């Protein structure tokens, strides 16, 4: 699948380059923008084509193409997680789109400014951007629903769970009215996660079940796999569903392997280790935790996951009465917790 996708993309690039050779300078501007889009996954090459498009657009006084090029520069910076520069270019694109009276493109700029701020943990700024986008997208229901859902995500991150549920439900209502099944599934998934955060497993399961049903219906394999994993984390709240939870984790892992998402294996092993602990299978739990830690290091996973793993392993050793190893792992857990705190302080600065 990866090979086929790459071949198709390169074929499109080659085709556009051939067309570009015979095109006028006015036509080349649009072609270079298309080349930037076709090579989006290779940021340097994409930026090079996009820059050519912008330079030609300025010379040819093509305002729509200038706006698109500036906006797309923001998209390229977002893709490489340079969110500060991404915002700078989205903000440069806004007055250009305003001159063109392109309110939908302006709403799109605000949407991506919100996403960039969210990724930089600037929650208030993210919400403010999404609200600006909402004002411009009020007649475009799919955009409105997405922006409402994004606001819900920010509130969830801020631990404003009731506000999050309010916005997710608003988004869901709109998506139901326009019969956008994929977006409905995403809304149900977000609701499931929020109810899980509120320690309301029944409500969480109801929403995750709906998300799972719709993702399977539209054959959205990646989101279906994540929903399977999400449900597996909720099921251990019910002692008679522990084996079912392990089954869901294994199904999710099978899907992740098909998708090439092998970096999720530490999470799967973590979930299974937790269930084995609840089942009183302490030796098996220790093995699963150790495997998860090994994989987390191999895939250079985030500190928070490693902290959770060492915490869990410490609890298993304590249950076994092996206090020496329990203490060793608790110390490692504390070190990662300190690292997380320092990183948060650094990010805030």
């Amino acid at each position: 699948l990866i090979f086929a996708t790459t071949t198709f993309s390169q074929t499109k690039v080659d085709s556009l380059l051939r067309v570009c050779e015979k095109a006028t300078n006015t036509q080349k501007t649009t072609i270079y923008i298309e080349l930037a889009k076709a090579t989006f996954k290779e940021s340097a090459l994409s930026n090079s084509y996009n820059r050519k498009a912008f330079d030609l657009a300025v010379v040819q006084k093509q305002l729509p193409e200038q706006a698109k090029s500036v906006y797309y520069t923001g998209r390229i910076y977002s893709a490489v997680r340079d969110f500060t520069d991404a915002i700078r270019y989205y903000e440069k694109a806004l007055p250009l789109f305003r001159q063109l009276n392109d309110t939908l493109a302006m709403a799109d700029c605000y949407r991506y400014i919100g996403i960039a701020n969210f990724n930089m943990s600037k929650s208030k700024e993210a919400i403010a951007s999404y609200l600006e986008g909402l004002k411009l997208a009020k007649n475009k229901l799919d955009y409105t629903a997405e922006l409402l859902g994004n606001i819900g995500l920010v509130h969830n991150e801020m631990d404003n769970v009731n506000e999050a549920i309010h916005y997710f439900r608003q988004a869901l209502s709109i998506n139901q009215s326009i019969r956008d099944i994929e977006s409905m599934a995403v809304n149900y998934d977000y609701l499931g996660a929020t109810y899980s955060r509120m320690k309301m497993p029944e409500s969480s399961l109801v929403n995750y079940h709906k998300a799972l049903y719709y993702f399977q219906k539209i054959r959205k394999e990646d989101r279906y796999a994540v929903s399977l994993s999400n449900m597996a984390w909720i099921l251990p709240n019910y002692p008679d569903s522990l084996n079912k939870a392990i089954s869901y984790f294994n199904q999710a892992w099978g899907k992740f392997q098909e998708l090439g998402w092998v970096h999720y294996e530490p999470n799967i092993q973590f979930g299974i280790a937790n269930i084995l602990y609840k089942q009183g299978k302490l030796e098996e739990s220790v093995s699963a935790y150790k495997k998860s830690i090994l994989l987390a290091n191999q895939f250079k996973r985030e500190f928070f996951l490693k902290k959770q793993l060492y915490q869990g392993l410490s609890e298993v050793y304590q249950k076994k009465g092996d206090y020496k190893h329990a203490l060793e792992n608790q110390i490692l857990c504390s070190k990662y917790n300190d690292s997380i705190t320092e990183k948060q302080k650094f990010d805030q600065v």
Side-chain angles (χ1 to χ4, degrees), residues 53-72:
F54 177 77
D55 291 342
L56 274 174
V58 171
V59 172
Q60 301 293 324
K61 296 181 180 179
Q62 296 169 282
L63 187 59
E65 283 69 27
Q66 282 184 52
K68 289 176 186 175
S69 178
V70 174
Y71 160 79
Y72 210 70

Side-chain angles (χ1 to χ4, degrees), residues 104 136-145:
L104 198 58
L136 295 162
K138 57 187 176 184
N139 296 322
K140 189 73 172 170
L141 291 178
D142 54 344
Y143 260 66
T144 298

Side-chain angles (χ1 to χ4, degrees), residues 30-44:
T30 302
I31 294 168
Y32 280 132
I33 290 173
E34 289 303 311
L35 281 164
K37 291 178 181 177
T39 56
F40 184 64
K41 291 183 179 179
E42 297 179 41
S43 58

Side-chain angles (χ1 to χ4, degrees), residues 1-63:
L1 178 61
I2 294 171
F3 176 77
T5 304
T6 306
T7 304
F8 171 78
S9 178
Q10 188 58 50
T11 301
K12 185 176 181 180
V13 169
D14 292 341
S15 176
L16 286 167
L17 287 171
R18 285 194 295 270
V19 173
C20 194
E21 288 174 2
K22 300 176 182 179
T24 64
N25 280 344
T26 303
Q27 293 169 329
K28 282 180 180 178
T29 310
T30 302
I31 294 168
Y32 280 132
I33 290 173
E34 289 303 311
L35 281 164
K37 291 178 181 177
T39 56
F40 184 64
K41 291 183 179 179
E42 297 179 41
S43 58
L45 184 58
S46 180
N47 201 35
S48 173
Y49 285 128
N50 194 49
R51 185 69 202 180
K52 288 180 180 179
F54 177 77
D55 291 342
L56 274 174
V58 171
V59 172
Q60 301 293 324
K61 296 181 180 179
Q62 296 169 282
L63 187 59

